[in-house]
Amino acid sequence: MTLLKELEDRGATGLYIDGEWRESSDGSGFPVLDPSTGDPVTEVSSGSVDDALAAVAAAHEAGPAFVAMTPRERSEILRRAFEIMIDRSDAIAELIVTEMGKALPEAKAEATYAAEFFRWFSGEAVRNIGYINTAPGGDKRIIAIHQPIGVSLLITPWNFPAAMATRKIGPAIAAGCTMVLKPASDTPLTALAVAEILKEAGLPKGVLNVMPSRRSGEVVDAMLTDERVRNLSFTGSTEVGRVLLEKAAKRVIRCSMELGGNAPFVVFDDADVDDAVSGAMVAKMRNGGQSCIAANRIYVQDSVADEFIEKLSEAMAATKVGPGMEEGTTLGPVINERAVLDMVGFVEETTGNGAQVRIGGRRPERAGFFFEPTLISEVRSNDPILSTEIFGPIAPVVRFETDDEAIELANDTIYGLAAYVYSSDLARAMGAAEAIEAGMVGVNRGVMSDPAAPFGGMKQSGQGREGSHEGMMEFLETKYIAADW
Ligand code: NAD
């Protein structure tokens, strides 16, 4: 039996409130589509404002007992959740493919990566470390402790439906916060499966509530205006992040924002070109280019540009496009019809500006939301594609001449999430890594995500960090106790 069928049989395609599955209060629902066919696979309840407030009430009520639970107990729940998730990782991977479309090996990698956040934060839960020191005057003591912020609203995107959820739930549990998770409407199923895992792992009822909804704006507004909600952890586009920051400002809600990216991928003339091509394949093509840290602009030094373009075209041509569940598929569909149309538009506009399509460039003739792996060369450094998050399998390549020019181009964006630098001279690569305005830089590496590392952006890519010790701090307040004895 598939995990989807199991969820349906248990009523777990509804809203998860106070440890129970419920239908939406007004009986509404919405279909979840398989991107490889465009057909609905199931229907999920669509939470209303009343449901959202019931979820907030459940989280609020569960708060005191959860804070009183020992860190060790919270740690052990996370550890059990990690083990259950690893045991079921094949089934979870299939569910991810069903609603999100990525190729099965990538979905398996995501399921494991997602579970690792539970393992990592299981360790962090028992390391909520404060400090005590002597005031400079020598006569007083300064004590700092960290306490859970309280009811947290977690909002996640569709591109990594498991990992984006566990990257928030893990630290919230570790810190002792209760929460309401609103998953993306394109991919609500994986979040519901994660709720079932945590239930089985012994998470008390009301600590995690999951609220799929087609009416995102309405339900999130209602939760943000509710006095009981103290914290917002959002992952999604910069556009929506800006709107939510404004709304959160009205009640000065603490915010952690993981927003859009526009990663430069810089290849210097002394780089190992084969290595740079392998790195670019991962940085650009992982998740079909639908990653916030995807290489969005590839800058190559003129003297190695022809060789790099040739080799990257060959590597991209070897990609096998198909449904994520099909044997051998390395590139699945993009998320929906709008994303396909965006890709068509990028190719038309960029070639209209004089760039050349080296491979791909078209929507294949088949059902579902597919687009060919596409390399576009001779892109002008001011082409609009370079200032937009492509979020699909298109690699625009721009030539540059000097190192200073590369850094200037890399920083010419409102975003600052990730960047990649390839050079065989470590001093040159590290100099560039320090000069590029990004929260994360891959040096001779095309992949950088790690639950133990601080993930997050500068500029309009966000504020706050997820993963690492810093991830738990997003769910904690520092309290200073002035003591004299
Ligand atoms: P999105 O901003 O459209 O949606 C994100 C979430 O916000 C979804 O749950 C959605 O339902 C909800 N939402 C949308 N409009 C809302 C509104 N008006 N009020 C309240 N909630 C609303 O983003 P997406 O298309 O789901 O995901 C892609 C984006 O996410 C890309 O920009 C990508 O770079 C970004 N992303 C960032 C990171 C990171 O860690 N920085 C990770 C993954 C994705």
Side-chain angles (χ1 to χ4, degrees):
M1 197 196 293
T2 64
L3 183 51
L4 174 56
K5 183 80 179 66
E6 272 180 51
L7 291 176
E8 285 173 335
D9 287 353
R10 262 184 257 144
T13 50
L15 315 172
Y16 186 63
I17 301 175
D18 208 15
E20 286 177 354
W21 295 101
R22 298 188 193 170
E23 295 292 306
S24 160
S25 59
D26 60 8
S28 63
F30 62 95
V32 178
L33 306 185
D34 173 350
S36 71
T37 59
D39 296 332
V41 290
T42 193
E43 176 149 319
V44 166
S45 297
S46 178
S48 65
V49 166
D50 284 349
D51 297 320
L53 296 181
V56 170
H60 183 68
E61 271 160 39
F66 196 51
V67 174
M69 203 177 222
T70 67
R72 171 74 73 213
E73 285 170 316
R74 290 200 296 267
S75 166
E76 282 168 0
I77 291 171
L78 284 168
R79 179 71 203 195
R80 281 195 294 275
F82 160 71
E83 278 159 13
I84 299 170
M85 200 158 175
I86 291 293
D87 268 2
R88 307 228 175 108
S89 57
D90 285 349
I92 291 163
E94 283 183 24
L95 190 63
I96 294 173
V97 177
T98 303
E99 62 176 350
M100 190 272 154
K102 68 184 70 179
L104 186 60
E106 288 201 22
K108 286 188 177 171
E110 185 190 340
T112 308
Y113 172 57
E116 286 293 342
F117 283 102
F118 287 156
R119 176 153 68 167
W120 172 260
F121 284 106
S122 162
E124 287 300 293
V126 290
R127 291 193 192 93
N128 179 1
I129 297 166
Y131 57 89
I132 173 167
N133 62 355
T134 305
D139 55 340
K140 296 185 192 66
R141 300 292 179 270
I142 292 169
I143 301 170
I145 60 168
H146 300 122
Q147 294 180 310
I149 299 181
V151 176
S152 298
L153 172 55
L154 320 178
I155 305 179
T156 49
W158 51 263
N159 61 342
F160 289 93
M164 295 303 94
T166 59
R167 201 167 76 170
K168 295 184 189 302
I169 298 169
I173 292 177
C177 289
T178 59
M179 67 207 96
V180 179
L181 165 67
K182 200 217 74 66
S185 321
D186 282 320
T187 58
L189 298 170
T190 309
L192 299 174
V194 169
E196 280 278 286
I197 289 171
L198 283 158
K199 187 178 188 178
E200 201 178 321
L203 191 69
K205 71 187 179 80
V207 172
L208 167 69
N209 303 275
V210 187
M211 178 64 34
S213 179
R214 249 287 163 74
R215 298 163 276 193
S216 308
E218 240 178 89
V219 300
V220 168
D221 273 10
M223 291 192 270
L224 288 178
T225 45
D226 189 304
E227 284 293 331
R228 295 168 291 190
V229 173
R230 300 279 182 83
N231 186 28
L232 167 64
S233 173
F234 173 78
T235 298
S237 62
T238 295
E239 208 180 358
V240 174
R242 282 191 202 107
V243 172
L244 295 182
L245 276 168
E246 253 187 82
K247 290 185 175 159
K250 293 205 179 92
R251 288 188 42 248
V252 197
I253 291 178
R254 173 91 168 265
C255 287
S256 139
M257 292 273 149
E258 296 289 340
L259 307 180
N262 181 8
F265 187 100
V266 179
V267 183
F268 289 114
D269 54 8
D270 59 355
D272 177 320
V273 173
D274 293 323
D275 252 16
V277 166
S278 312
M281 279 302 288
V282 185
K284 176 72 249 182
M285 299 302 286
R286 190 171 69 113
N287 219 30
Q290 302 169 110
S291 156
C292 53
I293 57 170
N296 206 57
R297 307 170 279 152
I298 303 183
Y299 296 113
V300 191
Q301 205 148 17
D302 211 20
S303 60
V304 292
D306 287 334
E307 181 188 354
F308 179 88
I309 290 167
E310 191 68 37
K311 289 183 168 168
L312 184 59
S313 302
E314 276 170 27
M316 287 175 83
T319 303
K320 182 172 177 284
V321 180
M325 288 306 293
E326 207 168 275
E327 182 74 28
T329 293
T330 50
L331 178 64
V334 290
I335 187 69
N336 52 30
E337 180 66 21
R338 197 187 62 204
V340 179
L341 299 178
D342 284 349
M343 297 308 122
V344 172
F346 284 132
V347 171
E348 272 173 17
E349 183 179 29
T350 316
T351 51
N353 293 337
Q356 293 169 20
V357 170
R358 305 294 281 246
I359 62 152
R362 287 166 313 163
R363 171 181 210 161
E365 281 181 21
R366 62 187 303 162
F369 311 129
F370 291 93
F371 198 78
E372 294 174 341
T374 300
L375 190 146
I376 308 180
S377 70
E378 316 318 317
V379 177
R380 287 192 332 224
S381 62
N382 62 353
D383 196 287
I385 195 173
L386 305 173
S387 51
T388 318
E389 197 175 15
I390 299 170
F391 239 60
I394 300 179
V397 181
V398 180
R399 294 166 190 262
F400 71 87
E401 283 177 9
T402 67
D403 290 25
D404 287 349
E405 186 191 355
I407 303 299
E408 204 175 303
L409 289 169
N411 287 339
D412 184 18
T413 172
I414 61 164
Y415 297 100
L417 190 59
Y420 303 87
V421 176
Y422 273 77
S423 166
S424 56
D425 175 348
L426 196 57
R428 190 180 186 190
M430 290 303 290
E434 289 188 4
I436 293 176
E437 297 163 344
M440 299 170 279
V441 184
V443 172
N444 295 327
R445 280 184 61 177
V447 62
M448 56 175 73
S449 304
D450 188 324
F455 193 106
M458 294 180 179
K459 292 157 85 177
Q460 294 192 34
S461 285
Q463 51 195 36
R465 294 293 180 269
E466 291 193 323
S468 76
H469 181 64
E470 293 187 42
M472 188 166 71
M473 295 309 295
E474 303 294 335
F475 292 88
L476 292 169
E477 302 263 25
T478 300
K479 180 178 281 175
Y480 156 49
I481 301 174
D484 201 353
W485 65 74

Coordinates of all heavy atoms in Angstrom, one line a residue, residues 388-457:
T388 N 16.3 37.6 -12.2 CA 15.0 36.9 -11.8 C 15.4 35.6 -11.3 O 16.3 34.9 -11.9 CB 14.2 36.7 -13.1 OG1 14.2 37.9 -13.9 CG2 12.7 36.4 -12.8
E389 N 14.6 35.1 -10.3 CA 14.9 33.7 -9.9 C 14.2 32.8 -10.9 O 13.0 32.8 -11.1 CB 14.2 33.5 -8.5 CG 14.7 32.4 -7.8 CD 14.1 32.3 -6.3 OE1 13.1 32.9 -6.0 OE2 14.7 31.5 -5.6
I390 N 15.1 32.0 -11.7 CA 14.6 31.2 -12.8 C 13.7 30.0 -12.3 O 12.6 29.8 -12.8 CB 15.7 30.7 -13.7 CG1 16.5 31.9 -14.2 CG2 15.2 29.8 -14.8 CD1 17.8 31.5 -14.9
F391 N 14.2 29.3 -11.3 CA 13.5 28.2 -10.7 C 13.1 27.2 -11.7 O 11.9 26.7 -11.7 CB 12.3 28.7 -9.9 CG 12.3 28.4 -8.4 CD1 13.4 28.8 -7.6 CD2 11.4 27.5 -7.8 CE1 13.5 28.4 -6.3 CE2 11.4 27.2 -6.5 CZ 12.5 27.6 -5.7
G392 N 14.0 26.8 -12.5 CA 13.8 25.7 -13.5 C 15.1 25.4 -14.2 O 16.1 25.9 -13.8
P393 N 15.0 24.4 -15.1 CA 16.3 23.8 -15.6 C 17.0 24.6 -16.7 O 17.4 24.1 -17.7 CB 15.8 22.5 -16.1 CG 14.4 22.7 -16.6 CD 13.8 23.7 -15.6
I394 N 17.1 26.0 -16.5 CA 17.7 26.8 -17.6 C 19.0 27.4 -17.0 O 19.0 28.0 -15.9 CB 16.8 28.0 -18.0 CG1 15.5 27.4 -18.6 CG2 17.5 28.9 -19.0 CD1 14.5 28.5 -19.1
A395 N 20.1 27.2 -17.7 CA 21.4 27.7 -17.2 C 21.9 28.8 -18.1 O 22.3 28.6 -19.3 CB 22.4 26.6 -17.2
P396 N 21.8 30.1 -17.7 CA 22.3 31.2 -18.5 C 23.8 31.4 -18.2 O 24.2 31.5 -17.1 CB 21.5 32.4 -18.1 CG 20.9 32.1 -16.8 CD 21.1 30.6 -16.5
V397 N 24.6 31.4 -19.3 CA 26.1 31.6 -19.1 C 26.6 32.9 -19.6 O 26.2 33.3 -20.8 CB 26.9 30.4 -19.8 CG1 28.4 30.6 -19.5 CG2 26.4 29.1 -19.3
V398 N 27.3 33.6 -18.8 CA 27.8 35.0 -19.1 C 29.4 34.9 -19.0 O 29.9 34.3 -18.1 CB 27.3 36.0 -18.1 CG1 27.8 37.4 -18.4 CG2 25.8 36.0 -18.0
R399 N 30.0 35.6 -20.0 CA 31.5 35.6 -19.9 C 32.0 36.8 -19.2 O 31.3 37.9 -19.2 CB 32.1 35.7 -21.4 CG 31.8 34.4 -22.2 CD 32.1 34.8 -23.7 NE 31.6 33.7 -24.5 CZ 32.4 32.7 -25.0 NH1 33.7 32.7 -24.7 NH2 31.8 31.7 -25.7
F400 N 33.1 36.7 -18.5 CA 33.7 37.9 -17.8 C 35.2 37.8 -18.1 O 35.8 36.8 -18.4 CB 33.4 37.9 -16.3 CG 34.1 36.9 -15.5 CD1 35.3 37.1 -14.9 CD2 33.4 35.7 -15.2 CE1 35.9 36.2 -14.1 CE2 34.0 34.7 -14.4 CZ 35.3 35.0 -13.8
E401 N 35.9 39.0 -17.8 CA 37.3 39.1 -18.1 C 38.1 39.1 -16.8 O 39.0 38.3 -16.6 CB 37.6 40.3 -19.0 CG 37.3 39.9 -20.4 CD 37.4 41.0 -21.4 OE1 38.0 42.0 -21.1 OE2 37.0 40.7 -22.6
T402 N 37.8 40.1 -15.9 CA 38.7 40.2 -14.7 C 38.0 39.7 -13.4 O 36.7 39.7 -13.4 CB 39.1 41.7 -14.5 OG1 37.9 42.4 -14.1 CG2 39.7 42.3 -15.7
D403 N 38.8 39.4 -12.4 CA 38.2 39.0 -11.1 C 37.3 40.0 -10.5 O 36.2 39.7 -10.0 CB 39.3 38.7 -10.1 CG 40.1 37.4 -10.5 OD1 40.2 37.1 -11.7 OD2 40.7 36.8 -9.6
D404 N 37.7 41.3 -10.6 CA 36.9 42.4 -10.0 C 35.5 42.4 -10.7 O 34.5 42.7 -10.1 CB 37.6 43.7 -10.2 CG 38.8 43.9 -9.2 OD1 38.8 43.0 -8.3 OD2 39.6 44.8 -9.4
E405 N 35.6 42.2 -12.1 CA 34.3 42.3 -12.8 C 33.4 41.1 -12.3 O 32.2 41.3 -12.1 CB 34.6 42.1 -14.3 CG 33.5 42.2 -15.2 CD 33.8 41.8 -16.7 OE1 35.0 41.4 -16.9 OE2 32.8 41.7 -17.5
A406 N 34.0 40.0 -12.1 CA 33.2 38.8 -11.6 C 32.5 39.1 -10.3 O 31.3 38.8 -10.1 CB 34.0 37.6 -11.5
I407 N 33.2 39.7 -9.4 CA 32.7 40.0 -8.0 C 31.6 41.1 -8.2 O 30.5 41.0 -7.6 CB 33.8 40.6 -7.1 CG1 34.9 39.5 -6.9 CG2 33.2 40.9 -5.7 CD1 34.5 38.2 -6.4
E408 N 31.8 42.1 -9.0 CA 30.8 43.1 -9.2 C 29.5 42.5 -9.8 O 28.4 42.8 -9.4 CB 31.4 44.2 -10.2 CG 30.8 45.5 -10.1 CD 31.5 46.5 -11.0 OE1 32.7 46.7 -10.8 OE2 30.8 47.1 -11.8
L409 N 29.7 41.7 -10.8 CA 28.5 41.0 -11.4 C 27.8 40.2 -10.4 O 26.6 40.2 -10.3 CB 28.9 40.2 -12.6 CG 29.4 40.9 -13.9 CD1 30.0 40.0 -14.9 CD2 28.2 41.7 -14.5
A410 N 28.6 39.4 -9.6 CA 28.0 38.5 -8.6 C 27.1 39.3 -7.6 O 26.1 38.8 -7.2 CB 29.0 37.7 -7.9
N411 N 27.6 40.5 -7.2 CA 26.9 41.3 -6.2 C 25.8 42.2 -6.8 O 25.1 42.9 -6.0 CB 27.9 42.1 -5.4 CG 28.7 41.3 -4.5 OD1 28.3 40.2 -4.1 ND2 29.9 41.8 -4.1
D412 N 25.7 42.2 -8.1 CA 24.7 43.1 -8.7 C 23.3 42.4 -8.7 O 22.7 42.1 -9.7 CB 25.1 43.3 -10.2 CG 24.2 44.3 -10.9 OD1 23.5 45.0 -10.2 OD2 24.2 44.3 -12.1
T413 N 22.7 42.3 -7.5 CA 21.4 41.7 -7.3 C 20.9 42.1 -5.9 O 21.6 42.4 -5.0 CB 21.5 40.2 -7.3 OG1 20.3 39.6 -6.9 CG2 22.6 39.6 -6.4
I414 N 19.5 42.1 -5.8 CA 18.9 42.4 -4.5 C 19.0 41.2 -3.6 O 18.8 41.3 -2.4 CB 17.4 42.8 -4.6 CG1 16.6 41.7 -5.2 CG2 17.3 44.1 -5.4 CD1 15.1 41.8 -5.1
Y415 N 19.4 40.0 -4.1 CA 19.4 38.8 -3.3 C 20.8 38.5 -2.8 O 21.8 39.1 -3.3 CB 19.0 37.6 -4.2 CG 17.6 37.6 -4.8 CD1 17.4 38.1 -6.1 CD2 16.6 37.3 -4.0 CE1 16.1 38.1 -6.6 CE2 15.3 37.3 -4.5 CZ 15.0 37.8 -5.8 OH 13.8 37.8 -6.3
G416 N 20.9 37.7 -1.8 CA 22.2 37.3 -1.2 C 22.1 36.0 -0.5 O 22.5 35.9 0.7
L417 N 21.6 35.0 -1.1 CA 21.4 33.7 -0.4 C 22.7 32.9 -0.6 O 23.4 32.7 0.4 CB 20.2 33.0 -0.9 CG 19.8 31.8 -0.1 CD1 19.5 32.1 1.3 CD2 18.6 31.1 -0.8
A418 N 22.9 32.4 -1.8 CA 24.1 31.5 -2.0 C 24.9 31.9 -3.2 O 24.5 32.7 -4.0 CB 23.6 30.1 -2.3
A419 N 26.2 31.5 -3.2 CA 27.1 31.7 -4.3 C 28.0 30.6 -4.4 O 28.2 29.8 -3.5 CB 27.8 33.0 -4.1
Y420 N 28.6 30.4 -5.6 CA 29.6 29.3 -5.8 C 30.8 29.9 -6.5 O 30.7 30.8 -7.4 CB 29.0 28.2 -6.7 CG 27.7 27.7 -6.2 CD1 26.5 28.3 -6.5 CD2 27.7 26.5 -5.4 CE1 25.3 27.8 -5.9 CE2 26.5 26.0 -4.8 CZ 25.3 26.6 -5.1 OH 24.2 26.1 -4.6
V421 N 32.0 29.4 -6.1 CA 33.2 29.9 -6.7 C 34.1 28.7 -7.0 O 34.3 27.9 -6.2 CB 34.0 30.8 -5.7 CG1 35.3 31.3 -6.2 CG2 33.1 32.0 -5.3
Y422 N 34.7 28.7 -8.2 CA 35.6 27.6 -8.6 C 36.9 28.2 -9.0 O 37.0 29.1 -9.9 CB 35.0 26.8 -9.8 CG 34.1 25.7 -9.3 CD1 32.9 25.9 -8.8 CD2 34.6 24.3 -9.2 CE1 32.1 24.9 -8.3 CE2 33.9 23.3 -8.6 CZ 32.6 23.6 -8.2 OH 31.8 22.6 -7.7
S423 N 38.0 27.8 -8.4 CA 39.4 28.2 -8.7 C 40.3 27.2 -8.0 O 40.0 26.6 -7.0 CB 39.6 29.6 -8.1 OG 41.0 29.8 -8.1
S424 N 41.5 26.9 -8.7 CA 42.4 26.0 -8.0 C 43.3 26.7 -7.1 O 44.2 26.1 -6.4 CB 43.2 25.2 -9.1 OG 43.8 26.1 -9.9
D425 N 43.2 28.0 -7.0 CA 44.0 28.8 -6.1 C 43.1 29.2 -4.9 O 42.2 30.0 -5.0 CB 44.5 30.1 -6.8 CG 45.2 31.1 -5.9 OD1 45.2 30.9 -4.7 OD2 45.8 32.1 -6.5
L426 N 43.4 28.6 -3.8 CA 42.5 28.7 -2.6 C 42.4 30.2 -2.2 O 41.3 30.6 -1.8 CB 42.9 27.8 -1.5 CG 41.9 27.6 -0.4 CD1 40.6 27.0 -1.0 CD2 42.4 26.6 0.7
A427 N 43.5 30.9 -2.2 CA 43.5 32.3 -1.8 C 42.6 33.1 -2.7 O 41.8 33.9 -2.2 CB 44.9 32.9 -1.8
R428 N 42.6 32.8 -4.0 CA 41.8 33.6 -4.9 C 40.3 33.2 -4.6 O 39.4 34.1 -4.6 CB 42.2 33.1 -6.3 CG 41.6 34.0 -7.4 CD 42.1 33.4 -8.8 NE 41.6 34.2 -9.9 CZ 41.8 33.8 -11.1 NH1 42.3 32.7 -11.4 NH2 41.3 34.6 -12.1
A429 N 40.0 31.9 -4.4 CA 38.7 31.5 -4.2 C 38.1 32.0 -2.9 O 37.0 32.5 -2.8 CB 38.6 30.0 -4.2
M430 N 39.0 32.0 -1.8 CA 38.5 32.5 -0.5 C 38.3 34.0 -0.6 O 37.4 34.5 0.1 CB 39.5 32.1 0.6 CG 39.5 30.6 0.9 SD 37.9 29.9 1.3 CE 37.7 30.7 2.9
G431 N 39.2 34.7 -1.3 CA 39.0 36.2 -1.4 C 37.7 36.5 -2.1 O 36.9 37.3 -1.6
A432 N 37.3 35.7 -3.1 CA 36.0 35.9 -3.8 C 34.9 35.5 -2.8 O 33.9 36.2 -2.7 CB 36.0 35.1 -5.0
A433 N 35.1 34.4 -2.1 CA 34.0 34.0 -1.2 C 33.7 35.1 -0.1 O 32.6 35.3 0.3 CB 34.4 32.7 -0.5
E434 N 34.8 35.8 0.3 CA 34.6 36.8 1.3 C 34.0 38.1 0.7 O 33.2 38.8 1.3 CB 35.9 37.1 2.0 CG 36.3 36.0 3.0 CD 37.5 36.3 3.8 OE1 38.0 37.5 3.8 OE2 38.0 35.4 4.6
A435 N 34.3 38.3 -0.6 CA 33.8 39.6 -1.2 C 32.4 39.4 -1.7 O 31.7 40.5 -1.9 CB 34.7 39.9 -2.4
I436 N 31.9 38.2 -2.0 CA 30.5 38.1 -2.5 C 29.5 38.2 -1.4 O 29.7 37.6 -0.3 CB 30.4 36.7 -3.2 CG1 31.3 36.8 -4.5 CG2 28.9 36.5 -3.6 CD1 31.3 35.4 -5.3
E437 N 28.5 39.0 -1.6 CA 27.5 39.3 -0.6 C 26.5 38.2 -0.6 O 25.4 38.3 -1.3 CB 26.8 40.6 -0.8 CG 27.8 41.8 -0.7 CD 27.2 43.1 -1.4 OE1 26.2 43.0 -2.2 OE2 27.8 44.1 -1.1
A438 N 26.8 37.1 0.1 CA 25.8 36.0 0.2 C 26.0 35.3 1.5 O 27.1 35.3 2.1 CB 26.1 34.9 -0.9
G439 N 24.9 34.7 2.0 CA 24.9 34.1 3.3 C 25.7 32.7 3.3 O 26.1 32.2 4.3
M440 N 25.8 32.2 2.1 CA 26.5 30.9 2.0 C 27.3 30.8 0.7 O 26.8 31.3 -0.4 CB 25.4 29.7 1.9 CG 24.6 29.7 3.1 SD 23.2 28.5 2.9 CE 22.0 29.5 2.0
V441 N 28.5 30.4 0.7 CA 29.3 30.3 -0.5 C 29.9 28.9 -0.6 O 30.6 28.4 0.3 CB 30.5 31.3 -0.5 CG1 31.2 31.3 -1.8 CG2 29.9 32.7 -0.3
G442 N 29.7 28.3 -1.7 CA 30.4 27.0 -2.0 C 31.7 27.2 -2.7 O 31.7 27.8 -3.8
V443 N 32.8 26.8 -2.1 CA 34.1 26.9 -2.7 C 34.5 25.6 -3.3 O 34.7 24.6 -2.6 CB 35.2 27.4 -1.7 CG1 36.6 27.4 -2.3 CG2 34.8 28.8 -1.3
N444 N 34.5 25.5 -4.6 CA 34.8 24.3 -5.4 C 33.8 23.2 -5.0 O 34.2 22.0 -4.9 CB 36.3 23.8 -5.2 CG 37.2 24.8 -5.8 OD1 37.0 25.4 -6.8 ND2 38.4 24.9 -5.1
R445 N 32.6 23.6 -4.6 CA 31.5 22.6 -4.3 C 30.2 23.1 -4.8 O 29.9 24.3 -4.7 CB 31.4 22.5 -2.7 CG 32.4 21.7 -2.1 CD 32.1 21.6 -0.6 NE 30.8 21.0 -0.3 CZ 30.3 20.7 0.9 NH1 31.1 21.0 1.9 NH2 29.1 20.2 1.1
G446 N 29.5 22.2 -5.4 CA 28.2 22.6 -6.0 C 27.0 22.3 -5.1 O 25.9 22.6 -5.4
V447 N 27.3 21.7 -3.9 CA 26.2 21.4 -3.0 C 26.7 21.8 -1.6 O 27.9 21.6 -1.2 CB 25.9 19.9 -3.0 CG1 27.0 19.0 -2.7 CG2 24.7 19.6 -2.2
M448 N 25.8 22.4 -0.8 CA 26.3 23.0 0.5 C 25.4 22.7 1.6 O 25.7 22.9 2.8 CB 26.5 24.5 0.4 CG 25.3 25.2 -0.1 SD 25.5 27.0 -0.1 CE 26.6 27.3 -1.5
S449 N 24.1 22.2 1.4 CA 23.2 22.0 2.5 C 23.6 21.0 3.5 O 24.1 19.9 3.1 CB 21.8 21.6 1.9 OG 21.4 22.5 0.9
D450 N 23.5 21.3 4.7 CA 23.9 20.4 5.8 C 23.2 20.8 7.1 O 23.2 22.0 7.5 CB 25.4 20.5 6.0 CG 26.0 19.5 7.0 OD1 25.3 19.1 8.0 OD2 27.1 19.0 6.8
P451 N 22.4 19.9 7.7 CA 21.7 20.3 8.9 C 22.6 21.0 10.0 O 22.1 21.8 10.8 CB 21.1 19.0 9.5 CG 21.0 18.2 8.3 CD 22.2 18.5 7.4
A452 N 23.9 20.7 10.0 CA 24.8 21.2 11.0 C 25.3 22.6 10.6 O 26.1 23.2 11.4 CB 25.9 20.2 11.2
A453 N 25.0 23.1 9.4 CA 25.5 24.4 9.0 C 24.4 25.4 9.0 O 23.2 25.1 8.8 CB 26.0 24.2 7.5
P454 N 24.8 26.7 9.2 CA 23.8 27.8 9.2 C 23.4 28.1 7.8 O 24.1 28.6 7.0 CB 24.5 28.9 9.9 CG 26.0 28.7 9.6 CD 26.2 27.2 9.5
F455 N 22.1 27.9 7.5 CA 21.5 28.1 6.2 C 20.7 29.4 6.2 O 19.8 29.6 7.1 CB 20.6 27.0 5.9 CG 20.2 26.9 4.4 CD1 20.7 25.9 3.6 CD2 19.2 27.8 3.9 CE1 20.4 25.9 2.2 CE2 18.9 27.7 2.6 CZ 19.4 26.8 1.7
G456 N 21.0 30.4 5.4 CA 20.3 31.6 5.3 C 20.9 32.7 4.5 O 22.0 32.4 4.0
G457 N 20.2 33.8 4.3 CA 20.7 34.7 3.3 C 20.9 36.1 3.9 O 20.5 36.5 5.0

